[in-house]
Amino acid sequence: MVTDLIRLQPYNPRLGFTLYFRIFKVNCLSCSPLIVVSSYKSAMHKISRLIITALLCLSSVSAQEKKPPQPQKPEETDDVVRISTELVQTDVMVFDKDGKFVSGLKREQFELLVEGQPQPIAFFDAVVAGSRSELAALRAVRNNKQPQPPAVEEPAAEAASERGRTILFFINDLHISPSSLSTVHKTVKSFIDNMMGPNDQVAITSASGQIGFLQQLTDDKAVLRAALDRLNFVPGAAADSQRPALSEYAAYLIKEQHDRQLLDYFITATLKANSLKDPDDRDIAASMVQQRVETILRNSQVTIKAALSSLVNLMKSTGKVSGRKLVFFISDGFLPNFTGSDFTWMMGRATDSANRSGVVIYSLDARGLSNDSWVDASNAGGFDTSGVLQSRMGGERNFSQEPLHALAADTGGRALLNSNDLEGGIARALDETSRYYLLAWRPTNDAQRASNFSKIKITIAGRPELKVQLRHGYLGASAEPPKAKTDASIVQVESTDVLGVAEFSTEELRTALALGYKQAVGTNMQLNTTLQLTAQSPEHDSGKLEVNVLGAIFDSKGKAVGSFRQRVEVQRTRTQTTPIYTYVNHQVDLPPGLYQVRTIAYERGTTRLTNAMEWIDIPKVKEGAFSISSLYIGEIPEGGANGTVGVNASGHFARNSRLRFTTYIYNAAHTAGAPQLGAQIKILKGDKAVLTPPEAKISTDKATNPANITYTGEFPLSSLPPGNYTLDITVMDKAASASASQQFKFTIY
């Protein structure tokens, strides 16, 4: 069992913290304190502090789809560029002259060169990003299976709807001006409102880390909007307010390119700006310029290193998420100091981490179409009669865009630059990356297997007009570092903190989490948490597991506002049979706001554990206003339910079952007799209604309290094919001409 707290240290955002439990260890960068926990039998009274801290760093694999009731082994990570059992794989996109993806290509049409040498293609498949078939193809390559014929292609929208894409926004807020930041807010908000798919997992992240706790993969638009609201202007470390204005690019030309004419120009401008006229003052002005150059470049390097380090951490964290990931790198550009810093090495780390984690980067210049800094009126230092400034600074914009080009090109993406239509650029990137070809080959010599970078080139035989977009190369397997000695009683579970992604270490115990809210006293709402536990095994079909459950509730800033713990028994059943559910319920009254609930469940006496996480947005409702609670959803199996119908926390329903829902209707008008209420139910697949029964009249004759009316309904699922759906319910108050709606996502299998 998890026990005593023995060490507490201040939080270091660069190092994160490590939790040591008798049964597990978690590494996390996005949480608050650094805590080390060990086993002491006398410390159960400290469990609340432990729950709050432990659950702050653990969350479910939120980028993956929810599992059906039948437990399966956790999926292994599928990197898109990797060496696995002597097989290397990469993702390839092929476009025609109009920029449209070319489908229907065959294996024999692809010509692969590694370091200029032809290579036979061992595996080939056409893949729809975010589909179930994508994971199947990646697993096939990872398991080194024999070549498979290309899968029959399915419509991209239909295939992707079953799982969803993984999309991340990395906002380089260390290199974004206030005006560009406004454009970023508008662009990302448009994506959330208009382009995000119903099953997409999305995260909004920043170089400075200012988004904090909300920097997590989620399909909840309320969470993403709250994360976007956290994005504020960060003054750059390289800011220089002296006159004449001296940009990072000008400093780079003077220091690294030894541009004497440009140095003389700024010395002369400094003399004029400071009204220095004595002949000896020129040495003073020269010293002032040189000092400014050194300071600007030093601060620039610090800021760039911080931004790229944040990007590397993000890229590594995505490696825990299956499938290919699309990252939008948004920035005003920054100085690529190739000669005077370790810039090349840092960029290599970023693209290497992206490629190893299966990330494609599309970079966007947030400046759009704008003037260069040297013609900005606010930076004017007087008219340049010599023409030196104009001749030197004309290349500033292109130079600052070099990193954006490199990040995109080296990861198989594109740089979308010099356009005010950032929303259109994102839409084009989503379309371009919706399909790709997956190729794999076997290295033929030690050089190709080594950890050095190997260049790859792919062309389409007989189709020179086609553009092939792919990563520039791959890194071979690096030597495995020696494993550190650890206490044999400690099992390690790595958690990549940046996106709230964690792994679980049980094949048998499974949990699913459901959240809902009801009205409580005053302006508060009652948050209802239901944790559903099952234990299914391919080998055992009897006995019970003794399970400890820990839970914690956090607000949008990551502050713990509640916790719970409970010990339960979970009935073991055999895989592929109907599971027997055990429930843990918890209620707490909270003010309106955005909350996250995290749970850990582990079998006593073993190292097997699992975790779950969900968000909920509790709205602020005006006192006395017409509203409804969350939807509480249950499943009635074929043949009927035995006893009370519990909450179906997993959201997975058998096709031969019935879905039952309950909501609570508040403050219905009743000035003349019983309230007049109706309900419109819709079943949506994506954004299209596939089932719309006639409007139902809600019976209120027996309602004892018009301010709180319970409404329950149910319907069969047999008419709907397997897939992902959304239940949309709108309750209308006819007397008050008011309405309120709620939605619930579910899957039929």
Side-chain angles (χ1 to χ4, degrees):
M1 72 195 309
V2 178
T3 49
D4 197 16
L5 175 68
I6 62 172
R7 186 156 68 101
L8 177 63
Q9 295 181 358
Y11 169 57
N12 184 327
R14 294 292 178 194
L15 299 179
F17 71 82
T18 301
L19 279 172
Y20 290 91
F21 289 83
R22 185 174 69 84
I23 63 167
F24 66 98
K25 168 185 172 184
V26 177
N27 296 324
C28 181
L29 296 175
S30 65
C31 314
S32 298
L34 183 141
I35 293 185
V36 178
V37 183
S38 185
S39 287
Y40 287 88
K41 295 181 180 179
S42 61
M44 283 303 294
H45 64 283
K46 297 184 179 180
I47 192 69
S48 295
R49 280 187 296 165
L50 175 61
I51 292 172
I52 292 172
T53 309
L55 292 168
L56 185 58
C57 73
L58 275 181
S59 66
S60 66
V61 185
S62 56
Q64 296 181 358
E65 58 192 317
K66 295 181 180 179
K67 306 296 181 183
Q70 290 76 13
Q72 302 171 357
K73 291 185 179 182
E75 294 179 340
E76 298 177 40
T77 302
D78 297 292
D79 296 341
V80 175
V81 173
R82 58 178 288 172
I83 288 185
S84 176
T85 59
E86 293 282 327
L87 209 59
V88 182
Q89 65 188 59
T90 191
D91 46 322
V92 181
M93 296 181 290
V94 183
F95 303 103
D96 62 20
K97 62 181 181 180
D98 296 322
K100 297 187 179 299
F101 183 84
V102 180
S103 60
L105 296 176
K106 308 298 181 183
R107 181 204 308 252
E108 54 270 19
Q109 294 178 265
F110 284 77
E111 296 180 343
L112 168 66
L113 298 178
V114 178
E115 294 293 347
Q117 298 299 315
Q119 294 288 330
I121 297 173
F123 182 94
F124 177 86
D125 203 354
V127 178
V128 175
S131 65
R132 296 183 188 276
S133 61
E134 179 184 35
L135 296 185
L138 292 168
R139 281 195 295 269
V141 177
R142 184 191 66 228
N143 295 332
N144 198 13
K145 290 187 176 181
Q146 294 299 315
Q148 301 288 327
V152 177
E153 295 192 10
E154 51 190 332
E158 182 68 19
S161 68
E162 290 302 309
R163 178 172 164 267
R165 304 161 295 185
T166 302
I167 302 167
L168 302 100
F169 289 86
F170 181 86
I171 315 300
N172 184 11
D173 52 352
L174 299 179
H175 298 96
I176 281 189
S177 67
S179 59
S180 294
L181 186 65
S182 175
T183 302
V184 171
H185 273 274
K186 178 184 176 182
T187 301
V188 179
K189 183 179 183 300
S190 176
F191 166 84
I192 297 171
D193 294 341
N194 306 314
M195 303 181 219
M196 182 176 169
N199 301 311
D200 289 342
Q201 292 288 331
V202 180
I204 299 173
T205 69
S206 74
S208 70
Q210 63 174 303
I211 294 174
F213 186 69
L214 297 177
Q215 183 171 286
Q216 298 184 34
L217 280 168
T218 181
D219 61 355
D220 193 319
K221 293 186 177 183
V223 176
L224 296 173
R225 293 188 184 102
L228 186 59
D229 289 342
R230 294 267 180 93
L231 195 62
N232 296 309
F233 173 66
V234 178
D240 178 81
S241 58
Q242 299 182 47
R243 288 292 182 268
L246 180 60
S247 70
E248 293 179 39
Y249 181 57
Y252 168 80
L253 292 177
I254 293 171
K255 174 69 182 300
E256 305 300 339
Q257 301 300 312
H258 311 291
D259 192 322
R260 186 67 190 181
Q261 280 189 303
L262 189 61
L263 173 62
D264 289 341
Y265 166 82
F266 277 102
I267 291 174
T268 302
T270 300
L271 288 169
K272 181 178 180 181
N274 292 275
S275 301
L276 300 175
K277 299 181 179 179
D278 192 285
D280 294 336
D281 290 340
R282 188 168 183 84
D283 291 339
I284 298 175
S287 178
M288 293 172 61
V289 173
Q290 293 285 8
Q291 185 176 5
R292 288 179 66 193
V293 165
E294 294 286 345
T295 301
I296 289 171
L297 289 181
R298 183 169 58 251
N299 290 341
S300 172
Q301 292 168 22
V302 170
T303 306
I304 291 170
K305 190 167 186 176
L308 291 178
S309 295
S310 295
L311 180 62
V312 168
N313 289 337
L314 178 66
M315 297 300 94
K316 289 181 177 180
S317 72
T318 62
K320 302 279 185 185
V321 182
S322 296
R324 190 172 69 158
K325 282 75 66 173
L326 172 61
V327 170
F328 289 106
F329 183 95
I330 306 179
S331 174
D332 276 354
F334 49 94
L335 182 72
N337 190 347
F338 298 106
T339 56
S341 71
D342 55 357
F343 174 81
T344 302
W345 176 78
M346 291 187 294
M347 286 287 289
R349 283 188 65 212
T351 55
D352 173 30
S353 300
N355 287 331
R356 289 186 182 276
S357 298
V359 170
V360 176
I361 295 178
Y362 272 67
S363 53
L364 292 88
D365 191 334
R367 294 170 293 186
L369 291 171
S370 61
N371 292 326
D372 291 326
S373 63
W374 68 275
V375 295
D376 189 339
S378 63
N379 293 332
F383 182 69
D384 174 23
T385 57
S386 67
V388 172
L389 188 64
Q390 179 179 356
S391 65
R392 300 304 195 275
M393 301 302 291
E396 179 180 25
R397 185 181 186 86
N398 289 339
F399 193 68
S400 69
Q401 290 177 340
E402 284 298 320
L404 305 185
H405 279 289
L407 289 170
D410 288 352
T411 59
R414 284 206 301 130
L416 307 175
L417 313 174
N418 305 321
S419 171
N420 290 331
D421 186 15
L422 266 64
E423 296 173 32
I426 288 177
R428 289 192 299 275
L430 293 172
D431 181 63
E432 286 183 6
T433 58
S434 63
R435 288 177 174 272
Y436 64 94
Y437 293 99
L438 182 64
L439 280 67
W441 66 94
R442 199 176 310 279
T444 57
N445 54 55
D446 291 339
Q448 293 180 5
R449 298 186 188 97
S451 59
N452 58 291
F453 185 81
S454 297
K455 294 182 179 180
I456 57 178
K457 181 180 180 180
I458 294 177
T459 57
I460 309 300
R463 302 288 301 275
E465 78 281 5
L466 299 183
K467 178 185 177 182
V468 179
Q469 192 166 308
L470 74 160
R471 305 172 193 276
H472 280 179
Y474 70 94
L475 277 163
S478 56
E480 185 176 353
K483 294 183 178 180
K485 294 182 179 180
T486 58
D487 187 338
S489 65
I490 298 177
V491 174
Q492 298 187 19
V493 178
E494 298 294 334
S495 172
T496 305
D497 62 299
V498 180
L499 297 174
V501 176
E503 292 181 308
F504 48 85
S505 61
T506 175
E507 298 178 5
E508 188 171 13
L509 182 64
R510 283 288 185 272
T511 58
L513 186 63
L515 308 178
Y517 63 84
K518 303 177 184 178
Q519 273 194 357
V521 179
T523 58
N524 283 351
M525 291 283 188
Q526 183 186 80
L527 171 60
N528 296 278
T529 299
T530 298
L531 185 67
Q532 178 180 288
L533 300 97
T534 59
Q536 289 189 301
S537 170
E539 302 175 356
H540 306 285
D541 59 359
S542 62
K544 296 181 178 180
L545 303 182
E546 289 190 45
V547 178
N548 286 339
V549 174
L550 312 176
I553 302 102
F554 302 92
D555 63 17
S556 62
K557 295 181 179 180
K559 179 182 177 181
V561 295
S563 64
F564 57 93
R565 57 188 172 93
Q566 189 171 333
R567 181 178 299 171
V568 295
E569 290 185 341
V570 182
Q571 180 68 50
R572 181 188 281 120
T573 58
R574 190 175 292 276
T575 305
Q576 305 304 329
T577 62
T578 303
I580 299 175
Y581 297 115
T582 299
Y583 295 93
V584 173
N585 297 300
H586 178 260
Q587 297 83 35
V588 61
D589 289 355
L590 295 170
L594 188 63
Y595 297 93
Q596 186 184 76
V597 178
R598 296 184 177 184
T599 64
I600 300 172
Y602 63 94
E603 182 183 353
R604 296 186 65 210
T606 74
T607 61
R608 293 189 288 271
L609 62 95
T610 186
N611 56 85
M613 176 274 288
E614 290 291 344
W615 289 93
I616 187 169
D617 186 21
I618 300 179
K620 185 176 182 180
V621 180
K622 185 178 180 181
E623 186 175 358
F626 179 75
S627 64
I628 62 176
S629 72
S630 296
L631 298 177
Y632 295 86
I633 308 296
E635 181 180 22
I636 302 175
E638 186 179 23
N642 295 322
T644 304
V645 178
V647 171
N648 185 329
S650 70
H652 285 74
F653 294 78
R655 193 181 181 191
N656 58 6
S657 67
R658 298 176 66 86
L659 184 149
R660 173 176 291 183
F661 63 86
T662 297
T663 187
Y664 300 89
I665 305 170
Y666 302 115
N667 304 315
H670 57 284
T671 54
Q676 302 176 32
L677 301 176
Q680 179 62 67
I681 300 172
K682 294 181 180 179
I683 304 297
L684 308 176
K685 188 170 182 60
D687 56 356
K688 297 181 179 180
V690 295
L691 186 63
T692 307
E695 179 182 322
K697 180 181 179 181
I698 299 176
S699 176
T700 58
D701 296 338
K702 298 181 180 180
T704 58
N705 181 11
N708 189 340
I709 299 172
T710 303
Y711 172 48
T712 298
E714 63 182 59
F715 55 87
L717 302 175
S718 55
S719 63
L720 298 172
N724 297 328
Y725 297 91
T726 300
L727 170 64
D728 182 285
I729 295 180
T730 300
V731 178
M732 291 84 67
D733 184 345
K734 302 297 183 65
S737 298
S739 64
S741 300
Q742 292 284 5
Q743 290 189 333
F744 175 80
K745 293 182 179 180
F746 65 99
T747 299
I748 300 176
Y749 62 92

